[in-house]
Structure formats: structure tokens, C-alpha cells
């Protein structure tokens, strides 16, 4: 396969989970990349920050939920036709958190039942990997998007025991 990217940008994506009631916290993104889509909480790293530190900070900034733990469950490499920068998205679940979710400038949070996840309002790839995560599986995947940011042109998906720190092309 030809190289899909020449540089990559790490991003975080966190989902608070209530296993007992089978609910997941998602948010409507109010601005920026993926605006109007429903997704987990996350974003870019600040200078000097680790991926995990960024995951805690972004969740708090976007939903006012303060995670007490994080479990890394997936690594996605997203690339786009005509764009040489890959998005390396590190996916976490948190099962222990403090605070009630609140609407912020970035996100409007809402709890969803596992069987009522609004995949049609989410990134196309989520329908492939999010159910695996809710089934306690871990994965490494790559999705190559057309310029419409909706059509997936190619993909690779693998279940793993441990999620690596970096995506290797
Ligand atoms: N295909 C995809 N599927 C998915 O589920 N999440 C994706 C995705 N592509 C990007 N994301 C996530 C990763 C990250 O949590 C978020 C984008 O990061 P940011 O919120 O930092 O972007 P913004 O452009 O809003 O940045 P700021 O304006 O600096 O906040 O979208």
C-alpha cells in the first residue's frame, strides 16, 4: 500500500462509560473539526503534555467531567485524500469520574444507552470500532477518507491485547 501520510498529529478521544446502566457519554461538537457531529471528548496535545494528560484535560474542559481513571482501548489513524497529515487518535474509556456533565463552549454532553448510539450523526468510522470497545475489546485501525470526510476509501482493523503508544505505518 502507498504511504497514506508523511507526518502525523496525535489527538485524544475519551468516552465516559456507565457499565452498570449500559450508558455512554457523548457530546455534540459545537465548533472546530467535526462540528455538529456527535463524538467523545478530546483534542490536541498542549506543549509538554503526554497523550494521557491531554485526555484528562480535554475531557474536563469539554464536559466538566473529571476522570479518576483512563483505560486505553484503541488507536485510530485517520487520513484524508489529498492531505499528507495523518490524525493519530488515541481512544480511552473512563469508568470512574467526578462531576455532572455540563455544556461547554465546545460540546453539549448527553448520556446514551448502548443500544441507542446515534451513529448516523457520528464520524463514519465510529460504527465499526465503538461497538468493539463496548464489547471490552481493544483495537488498532486505520481509515482513509475521501475529501467529503464521510466516505471511507480503505481501512484496516485489528483487535489487540495491548494498544501501542504509536501507530506504525
Ligand atoms: N474520524 C474520526 N472519528 C472519531 O470518532 N473522532 C475523530 C475523527 N477525526 C477526529 N476525531 C476527533 C479527535 C479529537 O477528539 C477531535 C478533534 O480535535 P479538536 O477538538 O482538537 O479539533 P478542533 O479543530 O476543535 O481543535 P480546537 O479548535 O483547537 O479545539 O475529533
Amino acid at each position: 500500500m502507498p504511504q497514506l501520510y508523511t507526518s502525523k498529529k496525535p489527538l485524544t478521544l475519551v468516552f465516559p462509560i456507565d457499565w452498570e446502566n449500559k450508558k455512554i457519554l457523548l457530546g455534540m461538537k459545537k465548533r472546530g473539526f467535526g462540528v455538529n457531529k456527535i463524538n467523545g471528548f478530546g483534542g490536541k496535545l498542549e506543549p509538554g503534555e503526554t497523550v494521557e494528560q491531554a485526555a484528562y484535560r480535554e475531557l474536563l474542559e469539554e464536559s466538566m467531567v473529571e476522570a479518576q481513571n483512563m483505560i486505553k482501548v484503541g488507536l485510530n489513524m485517520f487520513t484524508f485524500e489529498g492531505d499528507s497529515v495523518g490524525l493519530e487518535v488515541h481512544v480511552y474509556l473512563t469508568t470512574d469520574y467526578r462531576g455532572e456533565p455540563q455544556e461547554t463552549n465546545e460540546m453539549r454532553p448527553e448520556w446514551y444507552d448502548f443500544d441507542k448510539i446515534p451513529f448516523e450523526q457520528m464520524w463514519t468510522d465510529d460504527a465499526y470500532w465503538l461497538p468493539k470497545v463496548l464489547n471490552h475489546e481493544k483495537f488498532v485501525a486505520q481509515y482513509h477518507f475521501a475529501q467529503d470526510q464521510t466516505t471511507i476509501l480503505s481501512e484496516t482493523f485489528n483487535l489487540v491485547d495491548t494498544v501501542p503508544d504509536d501507530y506504525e505505518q
Side-chain angles (χ1 to χ4, degrees):
M1 192 188 281
Q3 270 217 331
L4 291 172
Y5 61 93
T6 53
S7 65
K8 61 183 181 179
K9 188 163 80 173
L11 294 168
T12 64
L13 186 60
V14 179
F15 298 91
I17 301 286
D18 176 350
W19 288 118
E20 204 178 315
N21 296 301
K22 293 192 166 51
K23 284 180 190 286
I24 181 170
L25 189 70
L26 301 171
M28 162 68 80
K29 196 156 193 289
K30 293 164 66 178
R31 65 175 194 204
F33 190 64
V35 64
N36 293 329
K37 285 192 202 302
I38 293 179
N39 204 351
F41 304 86
K44 304 176 194 74
L45 276 60
E46 284 183 352
E49 220 177 24
T50 64
V51 174
E52 196 167 296
Q53 285 167 343
Y56 280 88
R57 177 185 51 73
E58 288 278 351
L59 174 68
L60 182 61
E61 281 178 11
E62 294 187 348
S63 71
M64 306 306 286
V65 170
E66 192 177 353
Q68 308 294 307
N69 72 348
M70 289 267 173
I71 305 150
K72 190 161 186 181
V73 293
L75 187 61
N76 276 315
M77 173 55 70
F78 299 121
T79 54
F80 298 88
E81 209 177 17
D83 188 344
S84 63
V85 183
L87 304 181
E88 185 189 63
V89 178
H90 300 253
V91 184
Y92 294 85
L93 301 185
T94 173
T95 55
D96 184 9
Y97 32 80
R98 306 276 182 271
E100 281 303 308
Q102 282 174 42
E103 183 167 353
T104 62
N105 289 339
E106 288 254 356
M107 292 291 248
R108 190 161 56 244
E110 200 177 324
W111 289 103
Y112 290 84
D113 292 336
F114 286 177
D115 59 3
K116 291 189 185 119
I117 294 177
F119 287 114
E120 67 291 346
Q121 294 177 69
M122 300 174 73
W123 282 96
T124 317
D125 49 278
D126 292 35
Y128 295 91
W129 55 263
L130 191 51
K132 307 284 185 196
V133 162
L134 297 181
N135 196 31
H136 304 276
E137 292 172 302
K138 296 179 180 168
F139 72 93
V140 176
Q142 171 266 313
Y143 297 95
H144 186 54
F145 280 90
Q147 282 173 355
D148 64 7
Q149 296 188 355
T150 301
T151 310
I152 294 172
L153 300 173
S154 67
E155 62 163 291
T156 58
F157 180 92
N158 290 293
L159 294 177
V160 295
D161 290 330
T162 308
V163 182
D165 289 338
D166 291 290
Y167 186 87
E168 305 268 358
Q169 186 158 225

